[in-house]
């Protein structure tokens, strides 16, 4: 046991939330933080830094960067199994994702505000995003974008290809929504676009949470803070459980290079472990009492909401042939990654002002794949422990398509959007022909349903398993991220998202982490003021 590891705060995980919290808290040079990462620092590895490889970063090809796991068979998808994994390296999921920067819209944040109060209002969310981002692109609303933050956002490519322009024109004609310049402008959340916003430096290198918030001016190569910053980062350190005294989080137990260690927190322990956060809470004795008892874990606080309400967006594809003369990406900018895209409402016309569908073009020479993400699924999954072994994967059931309305929604995406886009693309250029699914499949309900099941794929947009809400409304943490039933324990990552975000999750996680960190600093400042006033009163 290594002694004297005592810090003001301990943070588990270096993904978007953990990294921004660590940096924000240690802006106060008097505050000490221990930041733990189960993986290594791979920021300089070519597959990580080279954005052109982003779409190739899968567990099967690069297992050294991922947690190894698989979910349980999905009953509504013919018992198919999907990976249960995320990044196991500095930067977490932000080091291996597809780099898409998508803020949750004001419509989603209004839902958060109604449940959680003004701390999560659209106006405050926009203000914090502006503080976080360094936007390198065009917009019709400069007042809504940030230009001096730490997160580099590149709008790419500078000059879209003919393939992207044809796709955008086809979507315009098929849906009636005109092309938009900036989908993160709160005034233009819907429509097709030819340029994605990516977590990239201006030169196209990946901008992970570690690159943005744990860079050379903050962290030395060995993980020790610099410039007076009291930040310590430990790699190859897998957290086993949180330790309590009278329901107050006091310490964490972790494995570092195979040796069991312990560290203590004077103020708070913050879990930002993503898909592993629910498991860590249950291993620490917070969760459904019956399941904890079965796993042989003493119950600290009985909360049946832990591990419930798991959500993930659905993912399917449509594939087109293209004109051989149309390049998918500019020859001088393969880091641009995507060939146009769109955010659209439900194709049936319900909630016409709300995002429900995300489309992303992935082009290759001769082919165009259109990724189709349904953003408002009603299906819910669960996370359960197998036993008290902290290194044993959980039973992750994402519950895909368990609610029949999700299948209906995906079928409508094909029947209305894809069918009409295919028709418009063919009228623009006859070389563009829908080959998967074939048109006759779209017209046949049973064939289309079977195609969707076999064509269904998995993304890493897991959210909501530790919902931010009052206990009686399915909550695990309160509006500040504090875990119900115990003291000094916070969760800040995608697992606390209270209502499904309408786009990729990374931006929302940065928002959560930054909001929690600012609140902690505000609380600490208020405590100092109260103590000072009390002292002055006593003197008088």
């Amino acid at each position: 046991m290594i002694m004297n590891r005592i810090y003001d705060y301990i943070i588990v995980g270096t993904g978007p939330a953990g990294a921004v919290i660590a940096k924000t808290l240690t802006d106060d040079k008097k505050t000490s933080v221990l930041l733990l990462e189960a993986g290594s620092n791979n920021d300089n590895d070519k597959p990580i830094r080279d954005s052109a490889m982003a779409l190739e970063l899968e567990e099967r090809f690069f297992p050294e960067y991922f947690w190894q796991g698989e979910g349980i068979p999905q009953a509504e998808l013919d018992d198919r199994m999907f990976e249960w994994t995320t990044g196991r390296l500095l930067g977490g999921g932000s080091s291996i994702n597809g780099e898409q920067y998508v803020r949750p819209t004001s419509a989603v944040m209004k839902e958060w505000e109604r449940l959680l109060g003004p701390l999560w209002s659209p106006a405050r969310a926009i203000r914090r995003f502006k503080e976080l981002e360094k936007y390198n692109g065009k917009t019709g609303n400069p007042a809504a974008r940030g230009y001096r933050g730490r997160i580099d956002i590149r709008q790419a490519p500078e000059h879209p290809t003919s393939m992207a322009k044809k796709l955008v024109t086809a979507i315009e004609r098929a849906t009636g929504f005109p092309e938009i310049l900036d989908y993160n402008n709160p005034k233009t959340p819907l429509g097709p676009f030819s340029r994605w916003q990516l977590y990239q430096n201006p030169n196209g290198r990946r901008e992970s949470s570690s690159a943005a918030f744990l860079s050379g001016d903050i962290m030395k190569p060995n993980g020790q803070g610099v410039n007076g910053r009291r930040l310590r980062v430990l790699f190859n350190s897998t957290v086993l459980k949180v330790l309590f005294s009278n329901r107050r989080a006091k310490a964490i137990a972790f494995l570092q290079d195979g040796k069991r260690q312990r560290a203590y927190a004077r103020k708070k322990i913050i879990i930002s472990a993503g898909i592993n956060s629910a498991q860590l809470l249950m291993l620490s004795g917070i969760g459904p009492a019956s399941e904890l008892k079965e796993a042989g874990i003493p119950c600290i606080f009985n909360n049946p909401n832990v591990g419930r309400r798991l959500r993930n967006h659905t993912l399917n594809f449509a594939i087109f042939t293209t004109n051989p003369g149309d390049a998918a990406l500019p020859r001088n900018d393969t880091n641009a990654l995507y060939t146009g895209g769109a955010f659209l409402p439900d194709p049936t016309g319900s909630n016409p002002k709300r995002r429900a569908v995300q489309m992303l073009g992935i082009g290759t020479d001769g082919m165009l794949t259109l990724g189709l993400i349904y953003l408002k699924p009603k299906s819910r999954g669960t996370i359960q422990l197998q036993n008290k072994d902290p290194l044993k994967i959980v039973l992750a059931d994402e519950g895909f398509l368990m609610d029949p309305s999700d299948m209906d929604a995906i079928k409508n995406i094909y029947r209305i959007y894809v069918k009409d886009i295919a028709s418009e693309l063919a009228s623009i250029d006859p070389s563009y022909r829908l080959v998967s699914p074939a048109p006759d499949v779209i017209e046949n309900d049973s064939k289309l349903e079977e195609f969707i099941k076999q064509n269904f794929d998995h993304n890493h947009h897991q959210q909501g398993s530790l919902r931010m809400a009052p206990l009686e409304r399915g909550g695990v943490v309160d509006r500040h991220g504090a875990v119900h039933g115990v003291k000094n324990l916070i969760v800040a990552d995608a697992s606390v998202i209270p209502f499904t975000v309408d786009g990729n999750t990374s931006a929302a996680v940065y928002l959560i982490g930054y909001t929690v960190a600012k609140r902690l600093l505000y609380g600490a400042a208020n405590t100092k003021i109260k103590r000072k006033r009390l002292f002055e009163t006593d003197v008088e």
Side-chain angles (χ1 to χ4, degrees):
M1 187 75 68
I2 297 178
M3 304 304 292
N4 298 322
R5 280 189 168 166
I6 304 174
Y7 302 83
D8 293 319
Y9 298 93
I10 297 174
I11 303 171
V12 181
T14 60
V20 71
I21 293 172
K23 193 271 176 187
T24 304
L25 291 180
T26 54
D27 281 345
D28 176 1
K29 301 302 192 293
K30 296 180 180 179
T31 299
S32 62
V33 172
L34 174 65
L35 179 60
L36 296 132
E37 169 55 51
S40 303
N41 183 351
N42 301 101
D43 277 1
N44 290 321
D45 291 8
K46 180 177 174 59
I48 303 303
R49 71 173 190 269
D50 187 351
S51 293
M53 298 184 69
L55 299 183
E56 302 172 22
L57 283 172
E58 298 180 28
E59 178 190 5
R60 55 182 171 160
F61 300 135
F62 298 93
E64 66 271 28
Y65 300 138
F66 289 82
W67 288 94
Q68 301 300 303
E70 204 166 40
I72 72 170
Q74 296 295 284
E76 298 303 315
L77 292 171
D78 299 330
D79 286 338
R80 290 176 61 203
M81 298 170 68
F82 299 92
E83 70 270 16
W84 179 253
T85 185
T86 188
R88 190 174 185 266
L89 72 171
L90 187 65
S94 71
S95 290
I96 49 87
N97 65 14
E99 301 187 350
Q100 296 170 23
Y101 176 61
V102 183
R103 295 179 180 180
T105 63
S106 293
V108 167
M109 297 313 301
K110 285 178 182 177
E111 291 181 327
W112 292 30
E113 182 183 18
R114 282 193 290 269
L115 178 68
L116 303 168
L119 182 66
W120 300 98
S121 70
R124 290 196 184 187
I126 291 168
R127 186 169 71 240
R128 293 191 193 104
F129 279 126
K130 289 174 62 177
E131 292 172 358
L132 286 167
E133 71 186 20
K134 185 189 297 182
Y135 183 52
N136 176 19
K138 296 180 179 179
T139 181
N141 186 6
R145 302 312 304 262
Y147 304 94
R148 293 185 292 180
R150 291 194 68 94
I151 307 175
D152 273 297
I153 304 297
R154 187 172 82 103
Q155 191 181 44
E158 184 175 357
H159 302 292
T161 62
S162 56
M163 187 184 295
K165 291 177 181 177
K166 289 175 182 178
L167 175 61
V168 167
T169 300
I171 296 175
E172 278 188 295
R173 295 179 181 177
T175 67
F177 285 92
E179 181 177 0
I180 56 176
L181 178 64
D182 174 10
Y183 57 77
N184 280 323
N185 173 2
K187 297 180 180 179
T188 58
L190 294 169
F193 47 87
S194 58
R195 302 176 68 192
W196 278 92
Q197 295 175 33
L198 305 174
Y199 289 104
Q200 291 182 4
N201 293 326
N203 64 9
R205 177 169 175 162
R206 177 186 289 274
E207 179 81 323
S208 64
S209 61
S210 53
F213 294 101
L214 302 173
S215 53
D217 61 326
I218 295 171
M219 185 186 75
K220 290 181 180 178
N222 67 358
Q224 181 67 50
V226 297
N227 294 330
R229 191 177 298 272
R230 298 174 67 193
L231 171 65
R232 177 71 174 174
V233 184
L234 296 182
F235 298 104
N236 304 309
S237 301
T238 302
V239 177
L240 305 176
K241 64 187 298 187
V242 178
L243 305 173
F244 293 89
S245 175
N246 297 321
R247 289 192 177 180
R248 185 183 297 272
K250 302 289 287 186
I252 50 125
F254 63 100
L255 285 178
Q256 185 184 40
D257 297 325
K259 295 180 180 179
R260 189 180 178 95
Q261 311 282 357
R262 185 175 292 186
Y264 298 83
R266 297 185 187 94
K267 295 182 179 180
K268 308 284 185 183
I269 295 173
I270 303 162
I271 300 174
S272 299
I275 63 171
N276 296 319
S277 290
Q279 179 183 26
L280 187 50
L281 276 196
M282 289 186 281
L283 289 169
S284 305
I286 302 169
S290 58
E291 294 180 19
L292 297 179
K293 182 178 180 181
E294 186 176 344
I297 298 172
C299 183
I300 301 295
F301 181 70
N302 175 24
N303 187 341
N305 303 321
V306 173
R308 303 302 186 263
R309 299 174 182 265
L310 174 65
R311 284 156 281 155
N312 199 343
H313 299 142
T314 68
L315 176 60
N316 289 89
F317 301 95
I319 301 175
F320 301 82
T321 59
T322 67
N323 189 318
D326 288 349
L329 297 172
R331 301 297 183 187
N332 63 348
D333 190 5
T334 56
N335 292 330
L337 296 178
Y338 303 104
T339 308
F343 286 103
L344 300 169
D346 189 290
T348 63
S350 63
N351 293 319
K353 297 181 180 181
R354 291 286 303 268
R355 283 183 186 171
V357 179
Q358 179 175 340
M359 295 184 176
L360 59 155
I362 304 172
T364 59
D365 290 341
M367 301 296 291
L368 172 63
T369 298
L370 190 61
L372 308 168
I373 301 176
Y374 181 51
L375 299 171
K376 296 181 69 63
K378 293 183 179 179
S379 299
R380 299 291 182 264
T382 59
I383 300 172
Q384 293 179 277
L385 289 177
Q386 293 196 57
N387 54 46
K388 64 180 180 180
D389 180 356
L391 303 182
K392 186 79 170 178
I393 186 175
V394 294
L395 295 171
D397 180 3
E398 299 199 62
F400 287 127
L401 305 186
M402 290 297 291
D403 190 310
S405 66
D406 292 348
M407 173 62 84
D408 291 338
I410 299 170
K411 286 192 287 189
N412 285 330
I413 293 172
Y414 281 102
R415 287 171 175 159
I416 301 174
Y417 282 154
V418 172
K419 180 181 175 181
D420 290 350
I421 290 169
S423 176
E424 295 296 341
L425 263 175
S427 69
I428 294 169
D429 186 339
S431 301
Y432 285 75
R433 182 169 54 88
L434 180 64
V435 293
S436 178
D440 67 294
V441 171
I442 293 180
E443 300 297 338
N444 185 297
D445 189 76
S446 60
K447 285 184 178 180
L448 179 57
E449 192 163 306
E450 184 61 25
F451 172 84
I452 289 170
K453 290 181 179 181
Q454 296 304 315
N455 178 259
F456 196 95
D457 207 347
H458 184 270
N459 58 45
H460 301 288
H461 296 183
Q462 295 99 336
Q463 53 197 292
S465 61
L466 301 175
R467 190 180 193 223
M468 183 184 289
L471 187 63
E472 65 275 11
R473 297 189 64 178
V476 177
V477 305
D478 69 10
R479 67 183 184 274
H480 301 139
V483 177
H484 292 307
V486 297
K487 296 180 179 179
N488 293 352
L489 182 61
I490 289 173
V491 180
D493 55 33
S495 68
V496 307
I497 288 174
F499 294 99
T500 312
V501 296
D502 48 4
N504 303 71
T505 53
S506 291
V509 177
Y510 276 117
L511 174 67
I512 290 167
Y514 191 48
T515 301
V516 166
K518 298 277 278 189
R519 186 69 191 180
L520 287 172
L521 290 176
Y522 175 79
N526 272 357
T527 299
K528 290 178 182 179
I529 292 171
K530 289 177 182 177
R531 287 175 178 169
K532 183 175 184 292
R533 286 174 178 169
L534 180 62
F535 174 76
E536 290 171 347
T537 301
D538 289 342
V539 171
E540 292 172 357

